[in-house]
Amino acid sequence: MAYKPQYGPGSTIVAANRRKQMDPSHKLEKLRDISDKDIVLMMGHRAPGSAYKTAHPPLAEQQEPNCPIRKLVTPTDGTKAGDRIRYIQFTDSMYNAPCQPYQRSYVESYRFRGMDPGTLSGRQIIECRERDLEKYAKELVNTELFDPALTGIRGCTVHGHSLRLDENGMMFDMLARTQYDKKSNTVKIVKDQVGVPLDTEVKVGKPMDDKWLKAHTTMFHSVAGTAFRDDAEYIEYVQRIHSLRTKYGFMPKE
Amino acid sequence: MTETTFPQCRIVTHRLLNPDTVERLLNKFFNIHGIRRMVLNGPRLPTVIPSGPSKGIPNPHGMRRTITVGNQELTLQVHVGTILLELENRDAIPALKNACDDVFTEFPYRLSEGRYMKTEPTLVDYAKYGPNADKEMLGLADPSSRTGPIILQGTK
């Protein structure tokens, strides 16, 4: 029988969302339409429309060593062109943000090629070739993995993940990269990910409402959302892994 | 240093407060007798980006605003989320609760009584600020900061 990945344990909506996001056969729901130019603007690595800077000549022009792995692996577009490596980093609020650092790395590893995800406690970074990055970033921002109020695109000064939201429901950001407009109930990005003001602001639309967030979050939260202790299957799984890891040196046998 | 007999309170809100809300709350507190000291706590909002690739560029922030409390102007340096108060006596607590009930209508808050300000300087305080540090400020703010506390002349 062919191997069928299970993606993760759990019987709650949070666990189901985690599996759904990780499963590459599940098409992520598209919620907004941020243009390529705006994605380039908010990352701040190059001016929109300018040429990609390169780290090496295109693969077709340079001599490749006789390597069996290189024959096996098809290079991505960015690699073919010799693009330099750039990054995008996300901060997710623990108040029911649609995605979270560990989940992001799993999602990206299942869905994208040729990138290096890095998980930290309150933020998650992806590094890859610049033109691949723009393609991936567009998917990460335009789909259900992003919420204008609870997800931040932050290259530095990322603090906010574990803080209380402000009165407008926005995650704390010391650099105020996003602005909430109460009248239109929309969020716009006014600075790039390291805090340099943008020439033109990027509108990222309305923050999702509490009901949607509760139904789509991948984060357990005993007060704001679904409590981890409500998911008996998840607890059993985590306890089993913990137990096996602890006993590993003693050659565990089940 | 703080007299141990003075009661202290801490107000923690469910949301970080907008400057307008802080202004409204503090103006209500201004009319309450018996508040000796007050600290507004929360994550800092610097005027200039202090670190990272864009270090040194100005950092305009909607939550850092000058508010007017009584007749004093006060520039917020933090996104207020916690308020510590030292009182003359416990009689002021019901009035504080009323003020909070009036202002925090959209989200909950918690007002608790306890000891929240330092009573003794620590070894680290001594190492950092030396023997002549302002003891009223220890544990609340940086005593070597050039900006002193704001003094609100009450109605007493």
Side-chain angles (χ1 to χ4, degrees):
Chain A
M1 203 173 83
Y3 170 71
K4 222 176 138 198
Q6 295 173 328
Y7 300 111
S11 51
T12 51
I13 183 81
V14 173
N17 290 338
R18 288 182 178 188
R19 286 193 289 270
K20 217 163 57 179
Q21 289 185 1
M22 279 191 252
D23 180 1
S25 66
H26 167 80
K27 197 169 184 310
L28 294 170
E29 190 186 347
K30 194 173 171 186
L31 298 176
R32 56 194 72 80
D33 197 13
I34 313 289
S35 67
D36 293 344
K37 181 185 155 231
D38 287 344
I39 294 284
V40 171
L41 267 176
M42 64 171 85
M43 287 199 290
H45 297 308
R46 68 183 180 106
S50 65
Y52 290 101
K53 288 186 180 154
T54 54
H56 59 76
L59 292 185
E61 289 174 23
Q62 69 175 25
Q63 285 215 318
E64 287 278 87
N66 188 18
C67 164
I69 301 299
R70 288 178 199 228
K71 283 176 190 156
L72 272 176
V73 180
T74 318
T76 62
D77 291 344
T79 316
K80 269 186 211 158
D83 287 355
R84 59 185 180 165
I85 305 285
R86 297 286 96 175
Y87 71 91
I88 187 168
Q89 186 168 249
F90 291 94
T91 306
D92 300 282
S93 169
M94 50 178 233
Y95 286 96
N96 288 342
C99 209
Q100 36 100 339
Y102 270 91
Q103 172 74 5
R104 278 187 187 279
S105 288
Y106 279 118
V107 171
E108 288 150 9
S109 302
Y110 277 117
R111 287 176 181 270
F112 304 147
R113 290 186 61 231
M115 51 89 224
D116 179 12
T119 305
L120 296 103
S121 55
R123 59 192 160 119
Q124 194 263 0
I125 190 169
I126 321 158
E127 295 174 0
C128 64
R129 304 283 187 160
E130 195 162 0
R131 76 188 71 196
D132 301 334
L133 176 73
E134 285 168 13
K135 198 171 74 186
Y136 300 155
K138 198 171 174 188
E139 187 163 351
L140 293 170
V141 173
N142 279 337
T143 58
E144 59 185 290
L145 299 175
F146 186 86
D147 175 61
L150 303 180
T151 310
I153 301 168
R154 304 181 183 183
C156 62
T157 324
V158 296
H159 196 38
H161 159 77
S162 59
L163 296 190
R164 283 166 281 169
L165 304 178
D166 74 12
E167 284 186 51
N168 304 325
M170 301 283 291
M171 177 170 57
F172 172 79
D173 182 5
M174 191 181 94
L175 302 191
R177 280 162 277 222
T178 50
Q179 271 179 10
Y180 174 70
D181 182 18
K182 213 168 187 176
K183 250 186 201 166
S184 59
N185 186 30
T186 52
V187 175
K188 57 191 177 187
I189 294 178
V190 293
K191 293 179 182 176
D192 73 7
Q193 52 176 345
V194 294
V196 178
L198 297 176
D199 296 333
T200 49
E201 56 201 30
V202 176
K203 291 191 174 104
V204 281
K206 292 184 181 190
M208 304 310 285
D209 59 49
D210 284 351
K211 199 175 152 203
W212 187 92
L213 288 167
K214 256 189 187 175
H216 287 80
T217 186
T218 51
M219 206 169 311
F220 289 107
H221 195 294
S222 60
V223 178
T226 311
F228 181 61
R229 67 176 82 97
D230 291 346
D231 199 328
E233 189 183 317
Y234 222 123
I235 289 179
E236 189 190 339
Y237 169 82
V238 170
Q239 285 178 341
R240 178 166 172 263
I241 297 291
H242 175 72
S243 157
L244 291 182
R245 278 174 62 112
T246 311
K247 294 174 193 159
Y248 184 70
F250 304 104
M251 303 222 7
K253 277 180 190 153
E254 283 192 279
Chain B
M1 190 45 55
T2 315
E3 288 292 331
T4 48
T5 49
F6 290 121
Q8 292 176 0
C9 288
R10 183 174 67 181
I11 298 164
V12 183
T13 53
H14 186 60
R15 293 285 176 104
L16 297 177
L17 303 175
N18 289 353
D20 297 339
T21 315
V22 179
E23 192 169 31
R24 265 191 299 140
L25 183 73
L26 295 196
N27 277 310
K28 285 195 183 282
F29 285 177
F30 181 72
N31 295 318
I32 297 172
H33 295 290
I35 298 177
R36 293 186 80 241
R37 292 194 294 167
M38 178 160 50
V39 184
L40 304 180
N41 264 341
R44 204 165 84 85
L45 303 171
T47 49
V48 171
I49 298 178
S51 59
S54 36
K55 183 178 176 177
I57 68 169
N59 179 34
H61 201 295
M63 296 298 165
R64 188 187 52 245
R65 193 165 74 70
T66 301
I67 59 173
T68 309
V69 183
N71 49 5
Q72 278 277 4
E73 291 211 324
L74 153 70
T75 304
L76 293 173
Q77 294 175 32
V78 294
H79 198 162
V80 181
T82 306
I83 298 165
L84 306 181
L85 297 140
E86 188 176 74
L87 311 172
E88 302 269 355
N89 52 52
R90 297 189 71 248
D91 296 348
I93 295 176
L96 290 176
K97 273 188 183 151
N98 286 340
C100 291
D101 288 338
D102 287 350
V103 175
F104 304 135
T105 50
E106 308 269 310
F107 47 86
Y109 73 94
R110 181 184 291 179
L111 191 151
S112 48
E113 215 184 317
R115 297 220 60 80
Y116 301 110
M117 298 176 183
K118 255 184 200 177
T119 50
E120 290 295 325
T122 61
L123 186 69
V124 171
D125 289 331
Y126 185 85
K128 255 174 132 174
Y129 307 117
N132 301 321
D134 180 358
K135 291 187 174 178
E136 290 286 303
M137 301 282 281
L138 274 178
L140 308 181
D142 177 3
S144 57
S145 159
R146 270 167 287 171
T147 54
I150 307 268
I151 296 165
L152 300 172
Q153 187 60 53
T155 48
K156 194 173 175 185

